[in-house]
Amino acid sequence: MPKRIRLCKKKAEEILKGAGITNPPVDVKGIAESLFLEVVESDTGEFGGRALLGDGQIHVNSSDSPAGQRFSIGHEIGHLVLHADNFVFSAHEDPESELYAEDPDKELELEANYFSSVLLVPPKWLRKDVDAGMLPPELAERYLVSKDVIFIALEQNRLLHQIGRR
Ligand SMILES: [Zn+2]
């Protein structure tokens, strides 16, 4: 978990509110476009997702699943919203590699991932859906994210135990 959780949540809530989005699935591509970011599908090789903010472009890997691409777009929006002052582009190394582990900007990566998670799966909506009895596979479909993203969101919002009791 990143350190600036509240800031990430606040920024994501502001964006959803500004875009008038009140239900899943969140139109993350539309949000990117409203921020003057162009989403470009490309075969970026070793990069999972890559933003060239100077060019106003978000590159997503065309071989990723739609859910994976959506998460990458949310991640890059996070960099723009949270880190625009810090740098002009982000490149994503393989998370398994040592280079990544030594990345001094890892905190920024954690923040961008957390931001993407709360943008695509807003905690308040998730809580309501879990209360209504929805299970992880249905939630993944409803929010158009991977099951991993749903499980992480459930854990971060302390909702896993509620699902486990069923
Ligand atoms: Zn990043």
Side-chain angles (χ1 to χ4, degrees):
M1 294 277 271
K3 295 186 189 93
R4 302 191 298 169
I5 288 174
R6 288 166 75 100
L7 178 74
C8 294
K9 275 189 183 167
K10 190 173 154 255
K11 291 284 182 190
E13 275 173 18
E14 278 172 12
I15 284 183
L16 291 172
K17 204 176 171 193
I21 298 172
T22 53
N23 286 298
V26 168
D27 177 11
V28 73
K29 212 170 166 179
I31 291 172
E33 281 160 8
S34 75
L35 294 168
F36 305 105
L37 291 170
E38 186 192 357
V39 178
V40 181
E41 264 192 50
S42 58
D43 183 3
T44 49
E46 72 263 43
F47 299 112
R50 189 174 135 191
L52 296 167
L53 296 178
D55 285 353
Q57 285 189 335
I58 292 176
H59 289 217
V60 293
N61 197 328
S62 52
S63 59
D64 279 355
S65 65
Q69 291 187 13
R70 283 166 54 74
F71 194 82
S72 290
I73 295 169
H75 178 104
E76 300 307 342
I77 292 172
H79 279 313
L80 177 72
V81 170
L82 300 161
H83 313 139
D85 302 339
N86 300 43
F87 69 122
V88 286
F89 92 108
S90 73
H92 298 257
E93 308 287 346
D94 176 7
E96 306 297 323
S97 84
E98 280 178 53
L99 265 178
Y100 184 90
E102 287 166 13
D103 179 0
D105 290 338
K106 211 174 164 191
E107 179 68 19
L108 301 185
E109 292 308 299
L110 290 177
E111 281 193 354
N113 280 338
Y114 184 77
F115 175 89
S116 187
S117 156
V118 292
L119 182 72
L120 295 172
V121 189
K124 282 175 196 164
W125 304 359
L126 183 66
R127 188 159 288 126
K128 228 167 122 186
D129 288 339
V130 169
D131 284 344
M134 290 188 82
L135 294 167
E138 300 168 87
L139 292 165
E141 253 178 62
R142 178 163 159 80
Y143 289 83
L144 289 181
V145 297
S146 69
K147 280 178 202 146
D148 285 350
V149 168
I150 288 295
F151 273 109
I152 291 167
L154 289 169
E155 198 179 12
Q156 285 175 342
N157 293 288
R158 300 190 186 89
L159 292 166
L160 262 186
H161 67 282
Q162 199 172 325
I163 297 234
R165 255 190 259 124
R166 294 200 188 112

